[in-house]
Amino acid sequence: MKKILSILLSGMLLAGTLAGCQSNGDSVDKGTKKEAHNRLEQIKESGKLIMGTSPDFAPSEFIDNSSGKPVYVGSDVELAKYIAESLGVKLEVKAMEFSAIQQAVQSGTIDIGIAGFAYNPERAEAMELTEKFNIGTEESYQGLLMLKDNAGNYKTKEDFSGKKVVAQNASLQQALVEKQLPKDVNFQPVTSTSDGIMMVITGKADAMAVDSDNAKNLMHNYPEIAMAEFQFDYESEGNVAGVKKGETELVEAINEIIAEVNEKGLYDQWTKEAEELANKLGIEMGE
């Protein structure tokens, strides 16, 4: 009987030892497994950078359907590709309305938002903003497009009193309209500039706030519109990209890449290539 009990006790001790060894092995595995502590590490671990954009604004971001399936293209997309490649990952593009991009960044649905963002304090509070790119020319300004026959009559902000003005929802232009035009202006946000232009041309709106560089392309496509003499009080300083607040490692890594892009003049090159592609596809730029 004692012999049997001894055998059973030995077996229990052996099982316990093996279980302890297995437990220690698990803890070692868990201890050696590297966990991603920030967004930059998560991106590298997943092997992809998720970009949110509104692909309705050539040459910055638009869709090429020539291959039979939609492909996201444009200077902003090329920038995102360059950032992804520099980080050693692939790019994934998520299309969404312009006004939804900031919220997607904040919620972590996307890693980075690139869609013609201008710097403003409100965005800086909501997101980590990168260094500027797409600086533009000294002649660039913010103004209002309207029917050419009426453009000469709008020389001051007071001339827009009581008029209906549109701008892309959540854009810099919307902020300029709301802050600088008379309070009795009837403002209406639109999803895209193409919607706004159609409203102006059909008489459903008196003017659309827009960047002068984009206005040039729009006026080329629609000869019946022109820029008003009035200009907003704004100095163009280029565009920024946005990442989730607090992700300083990610924004610092992206800033190093943007500095390289600016030094090499790559964004201007991508813009010219995107303009050529848009013209080839018959896509009207600035929308």
Side-chain angles (χ1 to χ4, degrees):
M1 183 68 176
K2 289 182 180 179
K3 187 174 182 181
I4 294 172
L5 290 174
S6 177
I7 293 171
L8 290 173
L9 181 60
S10 298
M12 291 171 65
L13 289 172
L14 178 60
T17 302
L18 291 173
C21 290
Q22 183 65 44
S23 177
N24 289 339
D26 288 346
S27 64
V28 170
D29 290 343
K30 289 179 181 177
T32 57
K33 185 178 180 181
K34 185 178 179 182
E35 294 183 2
H37 296 292
N38 57 59
R39 194 82 182 192
L40 178 59
E41 291 181 359
Q42 290 173 7
I43 290 167
K44 291 183 176 181
E45 189 176 274
S46 69
K48 64 182 178 181
L49 174 73
I50 304 175
M51 167 202 186
T53 193
S54 179
D56 55 5
F57 202 79
S60 299
E61 43 265 331
F62 57 106
I63 300 174
D64 178 1
N65 287 306
S66 60
S67 65
K69 62 178 182 178
V71 178
Y72 300 110
V73 295
S75 49
D76 281 351
V77 177
E78 289 302 313
L79 172 62
K81 284 182 183 177
Y82 194 88
I83 292 172
E85 290 172 2
S86 299
L87 294 177
V89 299
K90 293 183 179 180
L91 177 67
E92 178 182 321
V93 180
K94 283 193 175 182
M96 56 188 66
E97 289 189 6
F98 181 83
S99 59
I101 297 172
Q102 180 172 303
Q103 183 178 354
V105 169
Q106 292 174 294
S107 66
T109 306
I110 58 176
D111 298 312
I112 187 169
I114 312 180
F117 287 141
Y119 174 90
N120 64 43
E122 292 78 12
R123 286 195 178 117
E125 287 183 8
M127 301 183 288
E128 298 290 345
L129 299 181
T130 67
E131 294 294 327
K132 297 180 178 69
F133 57 92
N134 187 28
I135 306 301
T137 64
E138 293 183 0
E139 295 79 20
S140 299
Y141 66 93
Q142 298 291 332
L144 293 117
L145 271 174
M146 54 198 322
L147 290 175
K148 184 182 291 185
D149 293 342
N150 300 330
N153 299 324
Y154 291 80
K155 301 177 181 179
T156 68
K157 64 181 181 181
E158 287 75 18
D159 293 329
F160 291 91
S161 179
K163 303 300 181 181
K164 186 171 185 177
V165 177
V166 299
Q168 191 171 32
N169 190 29
S171 66
L172 165 67
Q173 290 75 28
Q174 176 177 347
L176 291 174
V177 170
E178 293 175 340
K179 291 178 181 179
Q180 297 189 25
L181 291 188
K183 298 301 181 184
D184 65 345
V185 161
N186 179 11
F187 173 71
Q188 179 178 330
V190 292
T191 302
S192 67
T193 54
S194 59
D195 292 340
I197 284 297
M198 287 298 103
M199 290 181 70
V200 171
I201 290 175
T202 58
K204 295 179 180 179
D206 296 295
M208 181 180 74
V210 67
D211 178 270
S212 62
D213 289 335
N214 295 323
K216 291 177 184 178
N217 294 317
L218 291 167
M219 289 187 290
H220 175 76
N221 297 323
Y222 301 99
E224 63 268 47
I225 60 175
M227 290 291 276
E229 289 189 30
F230 168 80
Q231 297 181 17
F232 288 106
D233 182 15
Y234 179 80
E235 185 175 348
S236 177
E237 297 180 350
N239 298 129
V240 294
V243 303
K244 192 173 184 179
K245 199 70 175 176
E247 297 294 345
T248 54
E249 296 87 356
L250 177 57
V251 79
E252 287 171 3
I254 294 172
N255 281 340
E256 291 181 8
I257 299 167
I258 288 176
E260 182 179 326
V261 168
N262 289 340
E263 183 180 350
K264 294 180 178 179
L266 294 176
Y267 195 90
D268 289 341
Q269 176 184 325
W270 295 329
T271 298
K272 291 176 183 177
E273 292 171 353
E275 287 175 347
E276 291 175 1
L277 177 59
N279 285 326
K280 181 180 178 181
L281 297 173
I283 296 174
E284 297 175 349
M285 285 178 283
E287 62 172 346

